[in-house]
Amino acid sequence: MIRESKSPNLYGELFKRHSNNPLLTAQDWPYPAHTVFNAGACQMGDETILLVRVEDRRGHSHLTVARSNDGVSNWHIDSKPSFAPDPENYTEEAWGVEDPRLTWVPERDEWIIAYTAYSPSGPLVSLARTKDFSSFTRLGPVMPPEDKDAAVFPRRFGDRYAMIHRPVSAGSSGAHIWLSFSPDLTHWGDHHILLHARRGAWWDANKIGLSPPPLETAEGWLLLYHGVRHTPGGCLYRLGLALLDLENPWQVLRRSDEWIFAPEMPYERQGDVNGVVFPCGWILDKASGTIRMYYGGADSCLALATAQIVDVLDYLRRCPAPSTRKRSRMTLFD
Ligand code: BMA
């Protein structure tokens, strides 16, 4: 007897890898670098801007801007770190700055950068702002350690900004994706779990985190998140999708059961950390409907994969709607 599956089982490629991959490696860098990976991404006029995580041979990371007209080739890379750790004034950056996510906030007329500051007490979430990716102003740390994988929404809900992030605490049942609110981008509260890591054999069991910032679509906020599967051979970082209600982003409308992108190519399977695809930025070209997802491969290079937004939304429409769509204070901290 053939049973019909309730959830889609496409096993097709939503995101297609670019033939130029890997787009950028440490060999392309204008100054000595160990690895380049996990870049925030945005479009400013005719230019694609990547804010690239660069790891030096101490193991500390900084961020450097790379610009290109087609988003694929002829990258112009700043000749020195564009956003270097500043441990004298921001002690939480003692061991570097990592994994930036960029959000254009129209009412502020500036980009808000959420990044990981690696402090001796653990990684935490810091914010900075810029208008041009030449000069940056820090807003400082906004979440205590351990917390990372954060991005700010481009607009307020009511009168509050919203941010997705991923705290981890010792002894907790897992590392989940959280949503918090702020009147001013500095003071954050009303914390609650947005997406739970699943359990057991699931690809996204025990530890999940936001990948690029939420993307506004007519059908809801599109989320791409990573699931970390611990295996005897090491961790596997794979990607899944979710959709949040546009006006009530704490309501999860859809969540993919399957991962939709996983390490397959040699530059994703082998590197400093094997088996990692880790996007921190994506750009939607509204005219063509193409999403460009920029991702780190194996913590060693930067790569690009593209998808059509209509295909992604079509896929999500066939994904299950989580059963508890109402925000309930009873389940905030389970
Ligand atoms: C995560 C982050 C990423 C990294 C990934 C795989 O925890 O630190 O920067 O790409 O691990 O090592």
Side-chain angles (χ1 to χ4, degrees), residues 37-38 53 98-99 148 237 273 276 278 299:
F37 55 119
N38 300 7
R53 173 174 171 189
E98 307 178 348
D99 300 356
K148 52 165 75 168
Y237 279 71
V273 183
V276 178
F278 203 93
D299 283 11

Side-chain angles (χ1 to χ4, degrees), residues 157-158 160-163 178-182 188-196 245 247-253 322-334:
F157 300 92
R160 299 184 303 170
Y161 295 102
M163 181 170 71
W178 289 61
L179 180 65
S180 301
F181 295 88
S182 169
W188 292 87
D190 197 8
H191 311 290
H192 59 274
I193 296 177
L194 178 64
L195 278 186
H196 280 88
D245 184 83
E247 297 313 319
N248 308 296
W250 49 87
Q251 288 185 6
V252 181
L253 305 178
S323 49
T324 47
R325 284 180 40 190
K326 285 237 160 62
R327 185 185 185 201
S328 153
R329 294 210 73 89
M330 298 303 288
T331 58
L332 291 191
F333 300 105
D334 61 351

Side-chain angles (χ1 to χ4, degrees), residues 37-38 53 55 61 98-99 101 116 118 123 146 148-149 166 207 226 228 235 237 272-280 296-300:
F37 55 119
N38 300 7
R53 173 174 171 189
E55 193 179 298
S61 294
E98 307 178 348
D99 300 356
R101 274 83 168 185
T116 304
Y118 198 166
E146 179 177 340
K148 52 165 75 168
D149 299 331
R166 202 282 309 282
K207 190 175 189 181
H226 54 270
V228 187
C235 289
Y237 279 71
D272 264 12
V273 183
N274 296 343
V276 178
V277 287
F278 203 93
C280 289
D299 283 11
S300 299

